[in-house]
PDB file of all heavy atoms in Angstrom:
ATOM      1  N   VAL A  10     113.264 136.285 153.563  1.00 92.00           N
ATOM      2  CA  VAL A  10     113.831 137.508 152.994  1.00 92.00           C
ATOM      3  C   VAL A  10     115.349 137.532 153.089  1.00 92.00           C
ATOM      4  O   VAL A  10     116.016 138.123 152.244  1.00 92.00           O
ATOM      5  CB  VAL A  10     113.323 138.798 153.678  1.00 92.00           C
ATOM      6  CG1 VAL A  10     112.134 139.333 152.966  1.00 92.00           C
ATOM      7  CG2 VAL A  10     113.068 138.591 155.146  1.00 92.00           C
ATOM      8  N   LEU A  11     115.884 136.953 154.140  1.00 93.00           N
ATOM      9  CA  LEU A  11     117.343 136.945 154.300  1.00 93.00           C
ATOM     10  C   LEU A  11     117.816 135.503 154.460  1.00 93.00           C
ATOM     11  O   LEU A  11     117.258 134.743 155.246  1.00 93.00           O
ATOM     12  CB  LEU A  11     117.750 137.770 155.533  1.00 93.00           C
ATOM     13  CG  LEU A  11     117.432 139.266 155.473  1.00 93.00           C
ATOM     14  CD1 LEU A  11     117.809 139.942 156.793  1.00 93.00           C
ATOM     15  CD2 LEU A  11     118.160 139.930 154.319  1.00 93.00           C
ATOM     16  N   ILE A  26     126.007 149.018 150.858  1.00 95.00           N
ATOM     17  CA  ILE A  26     125.259 147.826 150.501  1.00 95.00           C
ATOM     18  C   ILE A  26     124.365 148.187 149.325  1.00 95.00           C
ATOM     19  O   ILE A  26     123.600 149.148 149.395  1.00 95.00           O
ATOM     20  CB  ILE A  26     124.405 147.349 151.694  1.00 95.00           C
ATOM     21  CG1 ILE A  26     125.319 147.048 152.887  1.00 95.00           C
ATOM     22  CG2 ILE A  26     123.581 146.126 151.328  1.00 95.00           C
ATOM     23  CD1 ILE A  26     124.671 147.236 154.213  1.00 95.00           C
ATOM     24  N   CYS A  27     124.473 147.447 148.231  1.00 93.00           N
ATOM     25  CA  CYS A  27     123.618 147.743 147.101  1.00 93.00           C
ATOM     26  C   CYS A  27     122.999 146.459 146.573  1.00 93.00           C
ATOM     27  O   CYS A  27     123.346 145.363 146.997  1.00 93.00           O
ATOM     28  CB  CYS A  27     124.373 148.490 146.013  1.00 93.00           C
ATOM     29  SG  CYS A  27     125.796 147.600 145.392  1.00 93.00           S
ATOM     30  N   GLY A  28     122.087 146.633 145.635  1.00 91.00           N
ATOM     31  CA  GLY A  28     121.385 145.477 145.097  1.00 91.00           C
ATOM     32  C   GLY A  28     120.027 145.901 144.599  1.00 91.00           C
ATOM     33  O   GLY A  28     119.570 147.002 144.918  1.00 91.00           O
ATOM     34  N   PRO A  29     119.383 145.055 143.794  1.00 91.00           N
ATOM     35  CA  PRO A  29     118.065 145.410 143.270  1.00 91.00           C
ATOM     36  C   PRO A  29     117.029 145.505 144.394  1.00 91.00           C
ATOM     37  O   PRO A  29     117.268 145.019 145.491  1.00 91.00           O
ATOM     38  CB  PRO A  29     117.732 144.257 142.326  1.00 91.00           C
ATOM     39  CG  PRO A  29     118.582 143.130 142.779  1.00 91.00           C
ATOM     40  CD  PRO A  29     119.816 143.721 143.361  1.00 91.00           C
ATOM     41  N   SER A  30     115.893 146.165 144.086  1.00 89.00           N
ATOM     42  CA  SER A  30     114.890 146.301 145.137  1.00 89.00           C
ATOM     43  C   SER A  30     114.316 144.936 145.468  1.00 89.00           C
ATOM     44  O   SER A  30     114.198 144.067 144.608  1.00 89.00           O
ATOM     45  CB  SER A  30     113.787 147.265 144.695  1.00 89.00           C
ATOM     46  OG  SER A  30     113.157 146.763 143.555  1.00 89.00           O
ATOM     47  N   GLY A  31     114.020 144.731 146.732  1.00 88.00           N
ATOM     48  CA  GLY A  31     113.521 143.437 147.172  1.00 88.00           C
ATOM     49  C   GLY A  31     114.625 142.447 147.477  1.00 88.00           C
ATOM     50  O   GLY A  31     114.348 141.285 147.774  1.00 88.00           O
ATOM     51  N   SER A  32     115.898 142.910 147.422  1.00 91.00           N
ATOM     52  CA  SER A  32     116.989 141.974 147.652  1.00 91.00           C
ATOM     53  C   SER A  32     117.251 141.749 149.136  1.00 91.00           C
ATOM     54  O   SER A  32     118.024 140.888 149.508  1.00 91.00           O
ATOM     55  CB  SER A  32     118.263 142.478 146.975  1.00 91.00           C
ATOM     56  OG  SER A  32     118.601 143.746 147.496  1.00 91.00           O
ATOM     57  N   GLY A  33     116.604 142.564 150.005  1.00 91.00           N
ATOM     58  CA  GLY A  33     116.742 142.347 151.443  1.00 91.00           C
ATOM     59  C   GLY A  33     117.761 143.271 152.098  1.00 91.00           C
ATOM     60  O   GLY A  33     118.043 143.131 153.284  1.00 91.00           O
ATOM     61  N   LYS A  34     118.291 144.269 151.339  1.00 93.00           N
ATOM     62  CA  LYS A  34     119.347 145.106 151.914  1.00 93.00           C
ATOM     63  C   LYS A  34     118.817 145.997 153.041  1.00 93.00           C
ATOM     64  O   LYS A  34     119.442 146.095 154.102  1.00 93.00           O
ATOM     65  CB  LYS A  34     120.058 145.933 150.837  1.00 93.00           C
ATOM     66  CG  LYS A  34     119.136 146.636 149.858  1.00 93.00           C
ATOM     67  CD  LYS A  34     119.905 147.087 148.636  1.00 93.00           C
ATOM     68  CE  LYS A  34     119.097 148.079 147.807  1.00 93.00           C
ATOM     69  NZ  LYS A  34     117.698 147.692 147.515  1.00 93.00           N
ATOM     70  N   SER A  35     117.632 146.621 152.826  1.00 93.00           N
ATOM     71  CA  SER A  35     117.055 147.433 153.899  1.00 93.00           C
ATOM     72  C   SER A  35     116.707 146.569 155.103  1.00 93.00           C
ATOM     73  O   SER A  35     116.976 146.936 156.245  1.00 93.00           O
ATOM     74  CB  SER A  35     115.782 148.130 153.414  1.00 93.00           C
ATOM     75  OG  SER A  35     116.114 149.170 152.536  1.00 93.00           O
ATOM     76  N   THR A  36     116.098 145.419 154.825  1.00 94.00           N
ATOM     77  CA  THR A  36     115.723 144.521 155.924  1.00 94.00           C
ATOM     78  C   THR A  36     116.957 144.154 156.746  1.00 94.00           C
ATOM     79  O   THR A  36     116.899 144.110 157.977  1.00 94.00           O
ATOM     80  CB  THR A  36     115.066 143.253 155.356  1.00 94.00           C
ATOM     81  OG1 THR A  36     114.013 143.632 154.487  1.00 94.00           O
ATOM     82  CG2 THR A  36     114.512 142.380 156.466  1.00 94.00           C
ATOM     83  N   MET A  37     118.060 143.924 156.059  1.00 94.00           N
ATOM     84  CA  MET A  37     119.264 143.524 156.784  1.00 94.00           C
ATOM     85  C   MET A  37     119.712 144.613 157.747  1.00 94.00           C
ATOM     86  O   MET A  37     119.969 144.341 158.920  1.00 94.00           O
ATOM     87  CB  MET A  37     120.389 143.179 155.814  1.00 94.00           C
ATOM     88  CG  MET A  37     121.596 142.623 156.542  1.00 94.00           C
ATOM     89  SD  MET A  37     122.948 142.245 155.436  1.00 94.00           S
ATOM     90  CE  MET A  37     123.644 143.863 155.175  1.00 94.00           C
ATOM     91  N   ILE A  38     119.815 145.876 157.248  1.00 93.00           N
ATOM     92  CA  ILE A  38     120.321 146.876 158.196  1.00 93.00           C
ATOM     93  C   ILE A  38     119.265 147.224 159.249  1.00 93.00           C
ATOM     94  O   ILE A  38     119.607 147.625 160.350  1.00 93.00           O
ATOM     95  CB  ILE A  38     120.918 148.147 157.536  1.00 93.00           C
ATOM     96  CG1 ILE A  38     119.865 149.035 156.937  1.00 93.00           C
ATOM     97  CG2 ILE A  38     122.011 147.827 156.551  1.00 93.00           C
ATOM     98  CD1 ILE A  38     120.429 150.445 156.741  1.00 93.00           C
ATOM     99  N   ARG A  39     117.982 146.999 158.944  1.00 94.00           N
ATOM    100  CA  ARG A  39     116.957 147.230 159.969  1.00 94.00           C
ATOM    101  C   ARG A  39     117.006 146.168 161.059  1.00 94.00           C
ATOM    102  O   ARG A  39     116.510 146.384 162.162  1.00 94.00           O
ATOM    103  CB  ARG A  39     115.572 147.289 159.329  1.00 94.00           C
ATOM    104  CG  ARG A  39     115.340 148.611 158.569  1.00 94.00           C
ATOM    105  CD  ARG A  39     114.243 148.476 157.556  1.00 94.00           C
ATOM    106  NE  ARG A  39     112.984 148.089 158.189  1.00 94.00           N
ATOM    107  CZ  ARG A  39     112.121 148.973 158.684  1.00 94.00           C
ATOM    108  NH1 ARG A  39     112.358 150.247 158.602  1.00 94.00           N
ATOM    109  NH2 ARG A  39     111.008 148.558 159.246  1.00 94.00           N
ATOM    110  N   CYS A  40     117.593 145.009 160.739  1.00 93.00           N
ATOM    111  CA  CYS A  40     117.776 143.985 161.771  1.00 93.00           C
ATOM    112  C   CYS A  40     118.855 144.397 162.765  1.00 93.00           C
ATOM    113  O   CYS A  40     118.840 143.983 163.918  1.00 93.00           O
ATOM    114  CB  CYS A  40     118.165 142.654 161.132  1.00 93.00           C
ATOM    115  SG  CYS A  40     116.772 141.790 160.394  1.00 93.00           S
ATOM    116  N   ILE A  41     119.805 145.222 162.282  1.00 92.00           N
ATOM    117  CA  ILE A  41     120.953 145.550 163.124  1.00 92.00           C
ATOM    118  C   ILE A  41     120.542 146.385 164.339  1.00 92.00           C
ATOM    119  O   ILE A  41     121.147 146.285 165.394  1.00 92.00           O
ATOM    120  CB  ILE A  41     122.052 146.263 162.283  1.00 92.00           C
ATOM    121  CG1 ILE A  41     122.578 145.274 161.241  1.00 92.00           C
ATOM    122  CG2 ILE A  41     123.181 146.792 163.158  1.00 92.00           C
ATOM    123  CD1 ILE A  41     123.524 145.877 160.234  1.00 92.00           C
ATOM    124  N   PHE A 154     122.436 153.890 157.346  1.00 96.00           N
ATOM    125  CA  PHE A 154     121.725 154.745 156.383  1.00 96.00           C
ATOM    126  C   PHE A 154     120.878 153.855 155.480  1.00 96.00           C
ATOM    127  O   PHE A 154     121.414 152.978 154.805  1.00 96.00           O
ATOM    128  CB  PHE A 154     122.720 155.537 155.523  1.00 96.00           C
ATOM    129  CG  PHE A 154     123.480 156.587 156.288  1.00 96.00           C
ATOM    130  CD1 PHE A 154     124.660 156.265 156.948  1.00 96.00           C
ATOM    131  CD2 PHE A 154     123.022 157.888 156.345  1.00 96.00           C
ATOM    132  CE1 PHE A 154     125.367 157.233 157.649  1.00 96.00           C
ATOM    133  CE2 PHE A 154     123.726 158.861 157.037  1.00 96.00           C
ATOM    134  CZ  PHE A 154     124.904 158.529 157.695  1.00 96.00           C
ATOM    135  N   ASP A 155     119.571 154.096 155.471  1.00 95.00           N
ATOM    136  CA  ASP A 155     118.674 153.278 154.649  1.00 95.00           C
ATOM    137  C   ASP A 155     118.196 154.116 153.462  1.00 95.00           C
ATOM    138  O   ASP A 155     117.219 154.844 153.568  1.00 95.00           O
ATOM    139  CB  ASP A 155     117.492 152.797 155.501  1.00 95.00           C
ATOM    140  CG  ASP A 155     116.624 151.804 154.747  1.00 95.00           C
ATOM    141  OD1 ASP A 155     116.992 151.444 153.610  1.00 95.00           O
ATOM    142  OD2 ASP A 155     115.583 151.397 155.298  1.00 95.00           O
ATOM    143  N   GLU A 156     118.892 154.011 152.361  1.00 94.00           N
ATOM    144  CA  GLU A 156     118.604 154.798 151.154  1.00 94.00           C
ATOM    145  C   GLU A 156     118.367 156.273 151.468  1.00 94.00           C
ATOM    146  O   GLU A 156     117.288 156.817 151.185  1.00 94.00           O
ATOM    147  CB  GLU A 156     117.380 154.220 150.425  1.00 94.00           C
ATOM    148  CG  GLU A 156     117.549 152.742 150.130  1.00 94.00           C
ATOM    149  CD  GLU A 156     116.698 152.281 148.960  1.00 94.00           C
ATOM    150  OE1 GLU A 156     116.403 153.117 148.098  1.00 94.00           O
ATOM    151  OE2 GLU A 156     116.352 151.100 148.917  1.00 94.00           O
ATOM    152  N   CYS A 185     125.770 151.860 154.716  1.00 96.00           N
ATOM    153  CA  CYS A 185     124.866 152.645 153.884  1.00 96.00           C
ATOM    154  C   CYS A 185     124.222 151.763 152.822  1.00 96.00           C
ATOM    155  O   CYS A 185     124.931 151.199 151.987  1.00 96.00           O
ATOM    156  CB  CYS A 185     125.593 153.778 153.175  1.00 96.00           C
ATOM    157  SG  CYS A 185     126.711 154.685 154.224  1.00 96.00           S
ATOM    158  N   VAL A 186     122.906 151.702 152.849  1.00 95.00           N
ATOM    159  CA  VAL A 186     122.196 151.123 151.713  1.00 95.00           C
ATOM    160  C   VAL A 186     121.975 152.270 150.743  1.00 95.00           C
ATOM    161  O   VAL A 186     121.318 153.254 151.084  1.00 95.00           O
ATOM    162  CB  VAL A 186     120.840 150.539 152.153  1.00 95.00           C
ATOM    163  CG1 VAL A 186     120.035 150.118 150.934  1.00 95.00           C
ATOM    164  CG2 VAL A 186     121.052 149.371 153.091  1.00 95.00           C
ATOM    165  N   THR A 187     122.560 152.212 149.585  1.00 93.00           N
ATOM    166  CA  THR A 187     122.422 153.327 148.650  1.00 93.00           C
ATOM    167  C   THR A 187     122.702 152.885 147.227  1.00 93.00           C
ATOM    168  O   THR A 187     123.374 151.874 146.995  1.00 93.00           O
ATOM    169  CB  THR A 187     123.353 154.496 149.037  1.00 93.00           C
ATOM    170  OG1 THR A 187     123.148 155.568 148.137  1.00 93.00           O
ATOM    171  CG2 THR A 187     124.812 154.095 149.000  1.00 93.00           C
ATOM    172  N   HIS A 188     122.179 153.635 146.272  1.00 90.00           N
ATOM    173  CA  HIS A 188     122.486 153.382 144.870  1.00 90.00           C
ATOM    174  C   HIS A 188     123.445 154.428 144.326  1.00 90.00           C
ATOM    175  O   HIS A 188     123.657 154.509 143.129  1.00 90.00           O
ATOM    176  CB  HIS A 188     121.193 153.369 144.044  1.00 90.00           C
ATOM    177  CG  HIS A 188     120.291 152.248 144.409  1.00 90.00           C
ATOM    178  ND1 HIS A 188     118.959 152.403 144.667  1.00 90.00           N
ATOM    179  CD2 HIS A 188     120.553 150.941 144.597  1.00 90.00           C
ATOM    180  CE1 HIS A 188     118.438 151.246 144.993  1.00 90.00           C
ATOM    181  NE2 HIS A 188     119.379 150.341 144.958  1.00 90.00           N
ATOM    182  N   VAL A 201     129.048 145.784 149.317  1.00 95.00           N
ATOM    183  CA  VAL A 201     128.385 144.488 149.445  1.00 95.00           C
ATOM    184  C   VAL A 201     127.228 144.464 148.454  1.00 95.00           C
ATOM    185  O   VAL A 201     126.437 145.408 148.394  1.00 95.00           O
ATOM    186  CB  VAL A 201     127.859 144.290 150.885  1.00 95.00           C
ATOM    187  CG1 VAL A 201     126.952 143.080 150.957  1.00 95.00           C
ATOM    188  CG2 VAL A 201     129.016 144.159 151.860  1.00 95.00           C
ATOM    189  N   PHE A 202     127.159 143.406 147.659  1.00 94.00           N
ATOM    190  CA  PHE A 202     126.054 143.298 146.706  1.00 94.00           C
ATOM    191  C   PHE A 202     125.112 142.191 147.152  1.00 94.00           C
ATOM    192  O   PHE A 202     125.535 141.081 147.440  1.00 94.00           O
ATOM    193  CB  PHE A 202     126.586 142.997 145.300  1.00 94.00           C
ATOM    194  CG  PHE A 202     125.490 142.821 144.278  1.00 94.00           C
ATOM    195  CD1 PHE A 202     124.810 143.922 143.772  1.00 94.00           C
ATOM    196  CD2 PHE A 202     125.123 141.551 143.845  1.00 94.00           C
ATOM    197  CE1 PHE A 202     123.793 143.764 142.843  1.00 94.00           C
ATOM    198  CE2 PHE A 202     124.099 141.387 142.915  1.00 94.00           C
ATOM    199  CZ  PHE A 202     123.439 142.491 142.418  1.00 94.00           C
ATOM    200  N   MET A 203     123.819 142.527 147.233  1.00 94.00           N
ATOM    201  CA  MET A 203     122.833 141.537 147.677  1.00 94.00           C
ATOM    202  C   MET A 203     121.809 141.278 146.587  1.00 94.00           C
ATOM    203  O   MET A 203     121.446 142.168 145.826  1.00 94.00           O
ATOM    204  CB  MET A 203     122.097 142.046 148.928  1.00 94.00           C
ATOM    205  CG  MET A 203     122.949 142.048 150.168  1.00 94.00           C
ATOM    206  SD  MET A 203     122.007 142.582 151.603  1.00 94.00           S
ATOM    207  CE  MET A 203     120.948 141.155 151.859  1.00 94.00           C
ATOM    208  N   ASP A 204     121.353 140.035 146.534  1.00 92.00           N
ATOM    209  CA  ASP A 204     120.251 139.697 145.633  1.00 92.00           C
ATOM    210  C   ASP A 204     119.534 138.475 146.194  1.00 92.00           C
ATOM    211  O   ASP A 204     120.174 137.546 146.681  1.00 92.00           O
ATOM    212  CB  ASP A 204     120.777 139.417 144.221  1.00 92.00           C
ATOM    213  CG  ASP A 204     119.627 139.276 143.222  1.00 92.00           C
ATOM    214  OD1 ASP A 204     118.591 139.934 143.425  1.00 92.00           O
ATOM    215  OD2 ASP A 204     119.774 138.504 142.258  1.00 92.00           O
ATOM    216  N   GLY A 206     117.989 138.009 148.924  1.00 92.00           N
ATOM    217  CA  GLY A 206     118.184 137.735 150.339  1.00 92.00           C
ATOM    218  C   GLY A 206     119.561 137.190 150.679  1.00 92.00           C
ATOM    219  O   GLY A 206     119.820 136.811 151.821  1.00 92.00           O
ATOM    220  N   PHE A 229     123.776 143.992 137.165  1.00 91.00           N
ATOM    221  CA  PHE A 229     123.258 145.098 137.969  1.00 91.00           C
ATOM    222  C   PHE A 229     124.060 146.375 137.708  1.00 91.00           C
ATOM    223  O   PHE A 229     123.504 147.443 137.460  1.00 91.00           O
ATOM    224  CB  PHE A 229     123.319 144.722 139.457  1.00 91.00           C
ATOM    225  CG  PHE A 229     122.896 145.817 140.389  1.00 91.00           C
ATOM    226  CD1 PHE A 229     121.547 146.126 140.557  1.00 91.00           C
ATOM    227  CD2 PHE A 229     123.836 146.554 141.102  1.00 91.00           C
ATOM    228  CE1 PHE A 229     121.161 147.132 141.417  1.00 91.00           C
ATOM    229  CE2 PHE A 229     123.445 147.568 141.960  1.00 91.00           C
ATOM    230  CZ  PHE A 229     122.099 147.854 142.126  1.00 91.00           C
TER     231      PHE A 229
END
Side-chain angles (χ1 to χ4, degrees):
Chain A
V10 268
L11 296 176
I26 301 151
C27 58
S30 61
S32 59
K34 47 196 194 312
S35 287
T36 307
M37 186 181 79
I38 72 161
R39 286 159 59 88
C40 283
I41 295 172
F154 291 87
D155 187 4
E156 306 204 27
C185 315
V186 172
T187 182
H188 295 131
V201 169
F202 178 76
M203 288 183 72
D204 189 31
F229 176 76

